[in-house]
Amino acid sequence: MNPRGVAAFLLAVLLAGCAAVNAPLNLALQEGRNAPFDAVDPEASGEVYVGLAFSGGGMRASAFAHGVLEELRALSRSGRNSHGVLSDVRLVTGVSGGSVTAAHFGLFGPGALDGYRETYLLTDGERYMANSPLNPVVLARGLSGGANGRQTFGRHLDETLFKGATFGDLAKRSKIKTWINATDIANKVTFLFSAETFDALCSDLSRFPISDAVAASAAFPLVFSPIVLEAHGNCAYSEPDWLTAARHNPEATAAMVAHAEALESYASGEGVKYLKLLDGGITDNFGTTGLAVERARAEHPYAPLDPEQAVKLKRVLFLVADAATNRDLAWTRKLQGPGGVQLALSIANSSMGAASRAGYDAMRLQLADWEGDLVEYRCALSLAEVRRLRGTLTGWDCRDVKFFVGQVSFRGLPDEMRNALDRIPTRLRLEPEQVDMAIEAGRLSTRGNAQVQGFLRAAGYIETDPQLARTGTGPAPRRIAPIRKE
């Protein structure tokens, strides 16, 4: 064998032997089905529903989402309610870096907002990771399936934030429906860590660690090897009615059909034995696919609400926090490139950007339809039925339902600040001044968002100038330190 052949052979052996492989962690479901996670706050009036979606983007996205939460609280808190509108959050969904903040908020609630910066955002999320592109072993592992296994970022998350908490713990203590989104790369669909998904896998969701779900959501290709789940089978799985209907319904949405086919592949016991999960941003960088699917498969006009919730509801806010940076045009200014790793990253980022835009547009359409369906359902009820569900007819107006759907991002921020934000890398370790800039960007974008302001006024959180709502009630925005020049 010539020297080139020997080198190629040795490289092939190296690539085959260096892959980081994650053993499946999901345990088989012993009996029955997973309990649905129907988080309910008995102290809530039911008139207000807030849903939050946090995009991917590494530690930058985690910090940006934290800034959004801080500003929502600051704009709406009062002497009677120190958490403000955060007390009315009913759904939080996250992807990649945004899934860390989503999972933390879902598990611990608004009371744990203070201290999150120091506990997580200023820590080194890469301390257990092999991430030097100059290291040939790291490069070989990346090219062979992923340079890092679950015992890197997932370990850091468990040590700093989640302390062994599982989805069972989340269901017991949380009043917020929490969605963590990854990507099933075989079925090319969003994988949602939910009771329904784990039913199809014949797996016990209650014993699955939250840190590993978040690690799956953040498993960027090449940097991380896929998080692996096992389709256990043999649990007398009974598919939901909507899945059966989707199989024969020519008007079912493409997202709904794809989701149904994925569940079928998990439950059939044929084809899929080990499910491989990567970064949720590959298919939906906002984590909004789950909502679109829930509405598409709804059997009632008010779903996923129940009838009592549907008649009490008045104001709804769905806010998407997008921490994506501006377009990377550096390699468009020269004839060569992109190539190698840069090409792979460009393809992945292009896929994520397109999927995010499509997902957001689909969500807006679904929510507009939902608002119309709710009004139609409510106005068709008899007064006797309204009294039974609502407890009183006082103040009843069947048309008094308003949805506010908004997106906060780096757009609209001062040019100098936005340019600095675009230079913050998508990593799991940032300088303190970079973290603080991303937090402040989340606050400024939220404060200036017309949908947020309209919702807060309509729901009675603020009555006049939002600055008056801030006076003496919330922490002042942090002063942004200059970004360190490299």
Side-chain angles (χ1 to χ4, degrees):
M1 184 180 292
N2 61 41
R4 285 187 178 181
V6 172
F9 174 76
L10 292 176
L11 179 60
V13 172
L14 179 64
L15 291 175
C18 285
V21 178
N22 294 309
L25 292 178
N26 57 312
L27 301 174
L29 191 62
Q30 297 301 316
E31 59 181 358
R33 304 174 68 176
N34 288 284
F37 183 21
D38 297 324
V40 177
D41 184 355
E43 298 179 2
S45 68
E47 293 186 357
V48 178
Y49 185 108
V50 177
L52 302 173
F54 300 145
S55 82
M59 192 68 81
R60 182 186 67 246
S62 301
F64 183 75
H66 180 62
V68 171
L69 290 171
E70 279 196 330
E71 190 63 20
L72 285 173
R73 179 179 66 175
L75 286 169
S76 59
R77 69 195 302 183
S78 65
R80 294 177 302 169
N81 185 354
S82 61
H83 300 312
V85 71
L86 297 188
S87 298
D88 287 311
V89 174
R90 296 291 169 262
L91 169 67
V92 62
T93 178
V95 175
S96 193
S99 72
V100 183
T101 305
H104 181 264
F105 183 75
L107 180 63
F108 298 109
L113 202 60
D114 295 328
Y116 180 66
R117 173 180 176 270
E118 291 72 24
T119 303
Y120 175 69
L121 298 177
L122 297 183
T123 64
D124 180 6
E126 300 177 8
R127 62 176 170 155
Y128 297 124
M129 290 172 54
N131 54 14
S132 172
L134 301 179
N135 186 325
V137 175
V138 173
L139 182 61
R141 284 182 173 177
L143 294 175
S144 61
N148 296 277
R150 58 164 294 274
Q151 280 294 344
T152 53
F153 185 47
R155 175 184 174 187
H156 176 72
L157 289 170
D158 214 45
E159 290 177 353
T160 57
L161 289 179
F162 300 117
K163 313 297 184 183
T166 66
F167 279 88
D169 297 318
L170 179 67
K172 290 175 184 176
R173 66 179 298 170
S174 181
K175 301 172 183 177
I176 304 168
K177 180 178 286 190
T178 305
W179 289 345
I180 306 301
N181 303 268
T183 293
D184 171 356
I185 55 177
N187 283 298
K188 305 177 182 65
V189 296
T190 294
F191 180 92
L192 186 61
F193 284 84
S194 68
E196 184 175 71
T197 306
F198 271 61
D199 281 344
L201 288 168
C202 293
S203 298
D204 189 347
L205 178 62
S206 69
R207 293 189 286 171
F208 195 84
I210 295 173
S211 58
D212 284 293
V214 175
S217 181
F220 196 85
L222 302 182
V223 179
F224 293 98
S225 56
I227 299 296
V228 180
L229 302 181
E230 183 177 356
H232 288 289
N234 300 319
C235 66
Y237 169 72
S238 177
E239 67 180 32
D241 293 340
W242 72 263
L243 193 156
T244 306
R247 190 182 297 114
H248 306 290
N249 183 4
E251 296 184 1
T253 66
M256 183 178 174
V257 171
H259 185 62
E261 290 176 345
L263 292 183
E264 283 186 296
S265 74
Y266 306 157
S268 67
E270 301 175 2
V272 175
K273 176 60 177 175
Y274 295 105
L275 188 64
K276 312 296 174 67
L277 304 179
L278 281 175
D279 194 306
I282 297 172
T283 48
D284 175 11
N285 201 37
F286 294 156
T288 56
T289 297
L291 183 63
V293 171
E294 274 211 352
R295 278 299 299 154
R297 72 187 192 204
E299 297 179 359
H300 305 284
Y302 47 77
L305 302 176
D306 61 33
E308 183 176 337
Q309 292 169 330
V311 298
K312 290 182 177 180
L313 189 66
K314 288 188 175 182
R315 300 293 178 261
V316 177
L317 172 67
F318 278 93
L319 187 65
V320 174
D322 179 12
T325 55
N326 203 359
R327 296 169 296 173
D328 181 8
L329 301 178
W331 50 263
T332 68
R333 299 187 179 96
K334 57 185 179 180
L335 182 62
Q336 296 82 11
V341 175
Q342 188 182 53
L343 177 61
L345 292 176
S346 296
I347 293 172
N349 287 328
S350 296
S351 172
M352 290 180 180
S356 298
R357 291 188 292 271
Y360 180 69
D361 289 343
M363 182 197 74
R364 291 180 64 187
L365 291 173
Q366 289 289 345
L367 290 175
D369 289 342
W370 188 17
E371 181 179 10
D373 290 346
L374 271 176
V375 171
E376 184 176 352
Y377 164 75
R378 286 156 55 107
C379 291
L381 293 173
S382 67
L383 293 181
E385 183 68 2
V386 172
R387 185 183 292 106
R388 184 185 71 82
L389 293 170
R390 195 166 173 263
T392 178
L393 293 178
T394 303
W396 170 246
D397 180 351
C398 66
R399 298 188 177 276
D400 187 20
V401 179
K402 176 64 178 176
F403 281 46
F404 297 82
V405 184
Q407 180 178 351
V408 291
S409 67
F410 298 160
R411 295 185 183 91
L413 296 175
D415 289 343
E416 182 179 356
M417 184 180 190
R418 182 173 180 180
N419 290 336
L421 288 163
D422 284 340
R423 292 194 293 270
I424 297 178
T426 303
R427 298 189 59 170
L428 299 172
R429 178 186 63 195
L430 297 178
E431 298 295 333
E433 57 265 31
Q434 293 174 320
V435 168
D436 286 339
M437 174 167 279
I439 292 173
E440 184 67 4
R443 298 194 68 163
L444 289 174
S445 297
T446 303
R447 190 184 314 167
N449 184 270
Q451 294 296 315
V452 170
Q453 294 291 342
F455 166 77
L456 292 176
R457 286 185 175 83
Y461 288 102
I462 56 178
E463 297 178 358
T464 54
D465 187 332
Q467 290 299 323
L468 297 179
R470 293 179 55 83
T471 303
T473 62
R478 294 187 182 92
R479 185 176 297 279
I480 299 172
I483 295 295
R484 182 178 301 170
K485 295 183 179 179
E486 300 180 356

